Amino acid sequence: MPDMTPAEVAQRALPLVDLTNLDETCTTADIDALCARAATPHGPVAAVCIWPRFVTQAASLLAGSGVRVATVVNFPQGGDDTLAVVAETRQAIADGADEIDLVMPYGAFVSGRRGFAETQIARVREACGDRLLKVILETGEIGDPLLIHAASLLAISAGADFIKTSTGKVKINATLEAAEIMLTVIEEIRREAGPEIGFKPAGGIRTVADAAAYLAIADRILGANWVAASHFRFGASGLLDALLAALDGRAPTTSKGY
């Protein structure tokens, strides 16, 4: 994105935001406020991303707005109880979720149980039906670039519509290095006439400069016309304030959000 102003970056990034509240202390009042923020004077964000217990509330508040409701399952630990994760997914969809963000059982994957991880993703894919499935790899915990590449391929082969970097709940979340690997896998699949897979960096993305850096990588690897909410999202809470400040010509406030 050569020579783009902060306002131009913000205008591009705002409709890509999954506005997130996954705080342990989140309340129904917080969800009311989050959903109200999702429709900004500069247009709506792509989705809100919330705990499953708030899906019914958010779906009611956002009905007809065009803002989608995303929720998380197997979150944040990426556990091994596949039956429980499938049941959680089905309930979230029954409650009105449009999108499911599944934490891959990354511990099992790293320990060599790749078939188990793939099976869990496939079972959740089946439970999702026509709803969007984003698979969280937890790249900061996987660490090894070759394993991040392999995890990306595994998630896609098992039915992921998006691959997502992180939960935002570990020490190392989204990084440009992980983004490079994951976007390269997406491009490799596209070159082979495979499905169009989306990408979602999440955790620690708080500034216009952060957003610009991830958009620049996507543009370089997949082309300037690839980025759209249908296959690129930012998982963030504090980022929206920075984007709105840039669009309004104000100095951004400091945020410690997801």
Side-chain angles (χ1 to χ4, degrees):
M1 294 183 300
D3 302 320
M4 290 189 74
T5 67
E8 288 170 333
V9 173
Q11 185 175 36
R12 190 179 184 203
L14 188 145
L16 309 176
V17 171
D18 281 3
L19 185 61
T20 301
N21 188 331
L22 294 169
D23 295 339
E24 296 291 344
T25 57
C26 186
T27 66
T28 56
D30 293 329
I31 297 301
D32 286 342
L34 190 80
C35 290
R37 291 182 66 217
T40 83
H42 300 280
V45 300
V48 298
C49 187
I50 54 177
W51 291 107
R53 63 183 180 272
F54 298 119
V55 166
T56 299
Q57 178 188 353
S60 176
L61 290 168
L62 294 170
S65 69
V67 177
R68 297 168 67 85
V69 177
T71 194
V72 291
V73 298
N74 208 24
F75 189 92
Q77 292 87 1
D80 289 357
D81 191 343
T82 298
L83 290 177
V85 179
V86 169
E88 188 178 27
T89 301
R90 288 176 174 155
Q91 185 61 57
I93 290 171
D95 289 343
D98 301 301
E99 303 178 1
I100 299 295
D101 286 29
L102 162 71
V103 184
M104 182 184 78
Y106 57 88
F109 172 80
V110 171
S111 69
R113 298 165 60 206
R114 298 191 184 188
F116 177 86
E118 185 172 21
T119 297
Q120 185 180 107
I121 296 168
R123 292 285 305 279
V124 173
R125 167 75 274 165
E126 182 180 5
C128 281
D130 62 356
R131 309 301 170 90
L132 197 71
L133 175 61
K134 309 189 201 91
V135 176
I136 304 169
L137 306 185
E138 203 68 288
T139 54
E141 295 294 287
I142 293 175
D144 186 295
L146 292 176
L147 285 180
I148 293 171
H149 188 279
S152 299
L153 287 172
L154 180 146
I156 293 165
S157 70
D161 298 304
F162 271 66
I163 48 177
K164 175 178 172 182
T165 60
S166 326
T167 60
K169 300 291 187 181
V170 295
K171 184 176 180 181
I172 299 173
N173 290 287
T175 66
L176 296 174
E177 292 77 13
E180 178 101 19
I181 296 166
M182 295 166 72
L183 287 164
T184 298
V185 170
I186 290 168
E187 170 59 11
E188 290 168 352
I189 289 170
R190 190 171 71 162
R191 283 202 309 267
E192 295 170 1
E196 190 75 80
I197 304 300
F199 171 67
K200 179 177 173 179
I205 301 169
R206 300 188 178 96
T207 69
V208 174
D210 290 339
Y214 285 98
L215 290 171
I217 292 177
D219 287 348
R220 173 168 55 81
I221 294 174
L222 287 145
N225 296 322
W226 181 79
V227 169
S230 56
H231 43 251
F232 189 104
R233 302 284 183 84
F234 290 109
S237 59
L239 177 61
L240 181 60
D241 290 333
L243 299 179
L244 293 175
L247 288 165
D248 292 337
R250 298 181 283 108
T253 56
T254 301
S255 171
K256 297 181 179 179
Y258 171 77

